[in-house]
Amino acid sequence: MSEVTTNTVSPLEGEGIRGDGQARWYVVHTYSGHENKVKVNIEKMVENRGMQNLILDITVPTEDRIELKNGQRKIKTRKMFPGYVLIKMIVTNESWYLVRNTQGVTGFVGHGSDPIPLSKEEIARMGIEKVYIDLDVEIGDTVRVINGPFEGFMAVVEEINKEKQILKVKVSMFGRDTSVELEFGQVDKVL
């Protein structure tokens, strides 16, 4: 006796959308040294096919390093993750196919044809997207520095720039008050 199984297709899957239809960041593995070519190729194909609503952003994360060479300071830009490109996209059959079949792409990070999106924590840690922090402080409030070179210090808020997400604070070090600029994410309000 054989069993009959039926596959139910959600309305989203019927349209080729995988998952919940939300734009998320995915990691794409590329041939090492081909990251920028892959980025440019995908951007061209997205524009040619009018898929800007599915593939929203493509980035090759880089960082600037200061190197001393013959007594000269030189700024070198290097890739943070050689062999990888980050793409913010809504995964549909069409968008997955476009990225997967781009020259230089070896595949998505994930299980076969099921890419795994980055978590919000991973995105924040990598600095891919700026996370807006609503910090409830006023001038004169005391804050605790929770990361960076002044970690563990207490500081008094002097200025607040909500647009740039920066505080100017006064930190007491070695018996002197020193003004320092800190990002909202570097402090906690002391109650």
Side-chain angles (χ1 to χ4, degrees):
M1 186 164 155
S2 65
E3 289 184 29
V4 177
T5 58
T6 58
N7 292 336
T8 57
V9 177
S10 76
L12 289 176
E13 289 174 11
E15 295 171 19
I17 293 178
R18 302 171 180 201
D20 60 5
Q22 294 290 314
R24 301 201 195 295
W25 283 99
Y26 295 90
V27 180
V28 175
H29 192 261
T30 69
Y31 294 125
S32 192
H34 289 233
E35 301 88 354
N36 292 324
K37 287 181 195 169
V38 166
K39 178 182 189 291
V40 168
N41 287 343
I42 292 173
E43 287 172 342
K44 283 180 185 174
M45 286 192 293
V46 165
E47 190 174 325
N48 289 343
R49 296 182 185 188
M51 294 176 61
Q52 294 89 340
N53 60 331
L54 294 176
I55 300 177
L56 309 172
D57 196 4
I58 305 164
T59 185
V60 178
T62 58
E63 64 182 354
D64 291 336
R65 286 262 167 112
I66 297 172
E67 293 182 0
L68 288 173
K69 205 171 200 177
N70 300 329
Q72 298 286 321
R73 291 175 68 161
K74 288 192 172 187
I75 297 176
K76 278 252 181 168
T77 301
R78 69 176 195 92
K79 294 178 182 95
M80 291 171 64
F81 311 109
Y84 295 94
V85 174
L86 304 175
I87 301 178
K88 186 173 188 176
M89 63 187 281
I90 298 170
V91 178
T92 65
N93 291 335
E94 187 181 10
S95 66
W96 178 86
Y97 186 84
L98 180 141
V99 172
R100 183 63 189 87
N101 290 292
T102 300
Q103 187 175 355
V105 171
T106 59
F108 280 92
V109 172
H111 307 292
S113 63
D114 187 24
I116 298 174
L118 292 172
S119 69
K120 288 182 181 180
E121 293 78 26
E122 290 169 324
I123 294 166
R125 213 176 25 244
M126 289 183 200
I128 301 167
E129 282 185 346
K130 188 74 174 166
V131 178
Y132 183 80
I133 299 169
D134 187 17
L135 188 64
D136 183 27
V137 295
E138 295 177 10
I139 293 173
D141 284 354
T142 301
V143 293
R144 176 182 293 111
V145 182
I146 56 173
N147 68 26
F150 300 100
E151 184 175 345
F153 281 90
M154 302 298 262
V156 177
V157 178
E158 293 181 313
E159 294 177 26
I160 303 168
N161 185 332
K162 288 194 185 260
E163 290 80 40
K164 292 185 179 178
Q165 299 264 296
I166 292 176
L167 293 174
K168 191 170 190 177
V169 299
K170 195 178 292 184
V171 179
S172 183
M173 294 188 317
F174 311 116
R176 306 176 91 176
D177 286 342
T178 305
S179 286
V180 177
E181 278 193 0
L182 299 171
E183 295 178 9
F184 281 13
Q186 291 182 282
V187 299
D188 263 345
K189 183 176 180 179
V190 177
L191 300 174

